Amino acid sequence: MADRFPLIANSSSNQIQEVSAGDRLDLTGTDLINVNTAGIVTATQGFSGNITGVAATFSGNMQVGGILTYEDVANIDSLGIVTARTGIKVLAGGATVAGIATFSDGADIEGFKIEDGQTAATPNGEFNFYLASGHFFRYTGTPGADYYPNFKHSASINLNDRMNANDVVTATLIVNSPAVTYHIANTIHIDGNATGENSYTIDTDWVGGSAPDAGNGSGYDIYSFTIIKTADKTFTILANTLAAA
């Protein structure tokens, strides 16, 4: 059957006729019930009232002035900020955050948390301690010389750029110590700089008043560092060492 136009009563000619193509049908004050269309319904000035349907596809933008409620959404890709006023609940799969997560009222983490760690074979001089890869670094081989860490956020990001004034970060270093010959050197670096280099000021204070001058000689040398940023490129490091055999 060919497509047909709606029929109207033309009072001027006393006849029933089709609405001419291009004309408009004004149904103001009239309700249409159970309209079934096989094609596309176009509303150039929008819809008023509730819309109920099984599925909908929008090729452009959709603006919602009130509350949008929906369930069983497979994927949400947002270019801006997603705000949840009454909380976020992740029922399965976990949550992956690529950038920095900020919690204004603290974080309550239940369950068993695993901290990433770093390992290497032999300490010898300066080595990079990338805190983004873990706050625990363990050397399994025998030291070949005195050693000292260079603390950075990651290979391409400086720690100074990730910490604000008065921020604190901690780190632990464990070194295999079969002899007393080699130990940590009292020249800890941050972002590839010793104190006095590139406007960096690094004050390292050891518990007990002085840096170690020998290794444990049996077992492990364990070092802990509390790094405090007090101003731009200005850090205080509280360091401590323990011997474990």
Side-chain angles (χ1 to χ4, degrees), residues 175-177 216-222 242-245:
V175 179
N176 187 31
S177 181
N216 177 27
S218 176
Y220 300 94
D221 289 325
I222 304 173
L242 295 172

Side-chain angles (χ1 to χ4, degrees), residues 26-47:
D26 188 354
L27 299 176
T28 303
T30 304
D31 292 333
L32 292 179
I33 300 176
N34 297 327
V35 177
N36 187 3
T37 175
I40 298 174
V41 177
T42 302
T44 58
Q45 298 183 13
F47 290 94

Side-chain angles (χ1 to χ4, degrees), residues 196-223:
E197 295 179 341
N198 295 314
S199 301
Y200 274 72
T201 300
I202 304 170
D203 177 25
T204 302
D205 299 322
W206 288 89
V207 174
S210 60
D213 56 7
N216 177 27
S218 176
Y220 300 94
D221 289 325
I222 304 173
Y223 305 96

Side-chain angles (χ1 to χ4, degrees), residues 113-119 127-138 150-154 159 169-173 225 227:
K113 182 180 183 300
I114 299 176
E115 170 69 29
D116 291 334
Q118 305 176 69
T119 59
F127 66 92
N128 290 316
F129 198 136
Y130 296 139
L131 294 171
S133 299
H135 292 211
F136 180 90
F137 203 121
R138 180 170 66 94
N150 170 45
F151 289 108
K152 290 190 66 175
H153 172 271
S154 57
L159 189 61
V169 64
T170 60
T172 300
L173 170 65
F225 308 94
I227 304 170

